[in-house]
Structure formats: C-alpha cells, structure tokens
C-alpha cells in the first residue's frame, strides 16, 4: 500500500492555511491559503470546503487516492473527541459540528484539533522543543494560549480546556476581558492589548504591537507599553512555571517575531521575581506560521497510527 497523505488545515482568525503532507512532514505535496471571512460562521465553513477542494484538485489521481483524512486545527473551545467546536468567537461558531459537516461534504473522515495544542505539539516534535519532554509553549497573538507538554505528551485536560493561560487573572480588579472576568493576562500582554495601550497614549486607534516594537528605544511611550506588557506576561508565566516546572518555555505566535526584544527582558523579570520556582530557558518558537498546519498534520497522523494499532 502507498503511504497515506493528510490534508491539514490551520483555521486562523485571519487566514486559512492548508497543506497536503506525507507522514515525514517535509515539503508539502500541495499548499494554499485563503483569507478567513470575518465573523461569519457559514462563510467560514464554505471557505474551508473550497480550500479543501482546491487542494485536492491540485493532486494527481494517484495522490488523491492516498489522502486518507482531513485534520483541522481550530481556535476556541474544541471537543476533539466529537469533532465539535463548542465556541470559536472570532469565527462565529457555537456548537459547530465541524467534523460531521465537512466529512459529509468531502466524503473523507475529518478530525478536529485545538490549534494551539497542535502548534505546541509541532514545536515540541519538529521545532524549538525538540528533545524536551516537559515544556510550556505560549502563543501570543490576538489572544494568548498555551500548550502544556508533560512527559512528552500534550495535556488537554479531562474537560478539554487546559492551556487557557490568556484567561488566568493577574489582577482581580483589573481590566474587564471579553470572557467576562477581570484582569485576564491577554488584556495586558496580547498583541492586541499592546497595540491598544500604545494607541491610548499616542491617539492612534490603529496602532499595533508592530508599531510598538519598531518604536522601542526612540519613543518612550513605546518603551513604557512594552515594559508593562512584559511585566504582566512575567507575572502570568511565573504562576504557570511554578505549577508545572517545565524544562523549557517556548514563546510563539505573532508577538514572538520581536525575538530577543521579548524573550530577554521576559526571562530577566522572571528570574528577578521568582522566589520558589526555578526559571527554565525561554526561547522563541521555530516553525513560525507553519506551526499550526504542521501540528494539525502531526496530530492527525498520530490518530491514524493509533487507529491502526487498535484495529
Ligand atoms: Zn478572559
């Protein structure tokens, strides 16, 4: 039998990125990305179907035969066992039976994974966490979420919600989060929060975290915003490090593009603040924008293997 291929998709708030990959996860057999429709759940579902069909159309008939399964990485609260997205606010999905609906349209089995869990799995296996059994991978973009890997395995939790570090409160009287709680870490240290804080000081409503990074060292307001965001991040991460004692922390997501400007002061603050926890190396993620799609493929291949072993 020829080796199987997986059609992997990373369903992001801005882009849908798809690749057809073999089990070695090397160069993709086919790849494509499309913009994600804004806040329209049905349009997003339709765009996912179009992307899958366009990817399948790029394959030779023999390759098409090798595609055994579609694996998606999706943000929000994901029930990966049932393939249902319980809540993905940015995509406009509530209790979306994604696996069942897409499987019916494509006539292929569909697996649904949590995007950050699988991106962390990819970093652990192929990226900045290679060879490390216990790690915390924190992805900072519009929001903040983490993958926890313990003894080589990603921890999803008995109720499938592990890793939501962005909604750990660091100030019970703090800013009101979209989730309804006060003081959530992502209200202070996400790329969105950093852009907003800079906008409040400069009067520019379109300010972004990239503006802050590029103004570091020349605009004292940018320095203040950046420093405050790193303080808050260190506060939240110290709680996670104290609980989990990872041997490496990986920082990924859009904000990790700041590289040493982010991780060097972050580690310095963690070391200065820690009284109990040992602070591990803090490193930048290595797979960049491909982490999500590689992770979706990896998790899907692992599920295929388990199915073969148990069959
Ligand atoms: Zn929150």
């Amino acid at each position: 039998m020829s080796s199987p291929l997986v059609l992997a998709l990373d369903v992001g708030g801005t882009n849908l990125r798809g690749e057809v990959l073999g089990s070695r996860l090397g160069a993709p057999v086919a790849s494509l990305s499309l913009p994600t429709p804004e806040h329209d759940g049905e349009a997003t579902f339709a765009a996912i179907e179009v992307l899958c069909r366009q990817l399948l159309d790029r394959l030779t008939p023999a390759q098409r035969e090798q595609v055994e399964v579609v694996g998606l990485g999706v943000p929000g609260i994901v029930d990966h066992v049932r393939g249902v997205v319980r809540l993905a606010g940015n995509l406009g999905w509530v209790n979306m039976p994604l696996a069942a609906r897409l499987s019916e349209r494509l006539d292929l089995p569909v697996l649904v994974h949590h995007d950050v869990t699988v991106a962390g799995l990819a970093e652990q296996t192929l990226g900045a966490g290679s060879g490390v059994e216990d790690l915390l991978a924190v992805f900072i973009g519009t929001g903040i979420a983490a993958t926890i890997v313990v003894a080589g395995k990603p921890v999803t939790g008995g109720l499938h919600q592990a890793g939501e570090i962005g909604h750990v409160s660091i100030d019970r009287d703090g800013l009101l989060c979209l989730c309804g709680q006060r003081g959530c870490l992502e209200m202070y240290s996400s790329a969105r929060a950093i852009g907003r804080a800079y906008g409040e000081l400069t009067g520019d409503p379109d300010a972004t975290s990239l503006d802050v990074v590029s103004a570091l060292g020349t605009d004292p307001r940018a320095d203040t915003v950046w420093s405050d965001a790193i303080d808050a991040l260190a506060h939240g991460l110290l709680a996670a490090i104290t609980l989990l004692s990872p041997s490496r922390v990986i920082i990924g997501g859009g904000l990790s593009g700041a590289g040493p400007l982010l991780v060097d002061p972050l580690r310095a603050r963690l070391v200065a603040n820690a009284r109990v926890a040992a602070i591990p190396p803090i490193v930048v993620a290595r797979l960049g924008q491909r982490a999500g799609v590689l992770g979706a493929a990896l998790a899907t291949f692992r599920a295929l293997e388990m199915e073969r072993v148990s069959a």
Side-chain angles (χ1 to χ4, degrees):
M1 203 185 85
S2 55
S3 55
L5 296 173
V6 160
L7 195 170
L9 219 77
D10 180 25
V11 182
T14 312
N15 283 299
L16 308 171
R17 175 185 291 261
E19 295 187 4
V20 177
L21 288 154
S23 59
R24 289 171 189 270
L25 304 175
V29 179
S31 68
L32 189 64
S33 68
L34 292 175
T36 308
E38 270 185 47
H39 301 288
D40 181 339
E42 282 308 304
T44 300
F45 179 78
I48 288 171
E49 186 188 341
V50 166
L51 182 63
C52 290
R53 289 193 190 282
Q54 289 184 353
L55 276 170
L56 293 171
D57 284 346
R58 292 182 176 202
L59 305 179
T60 65
Q63 288 169 335
R64 173 69 187 78
E65 286 292 303
Q66 286 168 261
V67 176
E68 290 195 10
V69 58
V70 177
L72 302 103
V74 179
I77 300 172
V78 175
D79 180 343
H80 62 94
V81 178
R82 292 180 183 78
V84 174
V85 183
R86 295 286 169 214
L87 180 67
N90 288 331
L91 301 175
W93 288 345
V94 178
N95 289 325
M96 167 65 148
L98 184 58
R101 283 189 60 188
L102 192 61
S103 177
E104 193 188 325
R105 302 292 300 170
L106 298 174
D107 199 21
L108 279 167
V110 173
L111 297 179
V112 179
H113 313 282
H114 184 246
D115 62 345
V116 169
T117 304
V118 296
L121 178 68
E123 285 291 347
Q124 185 222 350
T125 311
L126 311 161
S130 180
V132 179
E133 292 278 292
D134 294 276
L135 62 86
L136 182 67
V138 182
F139 294 85
I140 309 173
T142 313
I144 304 180
T147 305
I148 303 160
V149 177
V150 173
K153 293 207 171 102
V155 174
T156 52
L159 305 178
H160 313 302
Q161 292 186 15
E164 294 290 349
I165 192 173
H167 299 284
V168 167
S169 178
I170 56 167
D171 178 359
R172 67 180 181 183
D173 299 317
L175 297 171
L176 186 63
C177 178
L178 289 172
C179 77
Q181 182 178 256
R182 286 195 178 274
C184 289
L185 178 61
E186 68 180 42
M187 294 303 292
Y188 302 90
S189 306
S190 65
R192 179 194 274 165
I194 291 168
R196 187 184 52 225
Y198 191 48
E200 281 168 9
L201 292 183
T202 59
D204 175 6
D206 300 321
T208 67
S209 59
L210 283 178
D211 298 333
V212 175
V213 173
S214 52
L216 288 176
T218 56
D219 180 354
R221 295 170 300 184
D223 294 341
T224 302
V225 166
W226 192 246
S227 175
D228 288 350
I230 290 175
D231 268 342
L233 187 58
H235 195 105
L237 271 183
L238 184 55
I241 290 169
T242 306
L243 268 179
L244 299 167
S245 192
S247 44
R248 190 175 298 174
V249 173
I250 298 171
I251 306 289
L255 203 68
S256 69
L261 291 173
L262 176 61
V263 294
D264 291 353
L266 176 61
R267 185 159 198 284
R269 272 180 239 188
L270 281 163
V271 169
N273 294 349
R275 296 291 176 273
V276 173
I279 302 302
I282 315 284
V283 303
V284 177
R286 237 187 253 156
L287 301 174
Q289 300 288 339
R290 279 190 85 206
V293 78
L294 286 170
L298 192 60
T300 303
F301 275 115
R302 287 197 179 171
L304 274 181
E305 268 166 40
M306 279 171 63
E307 205 173 86
R308 292 210 170 103
V309 170
S310 62

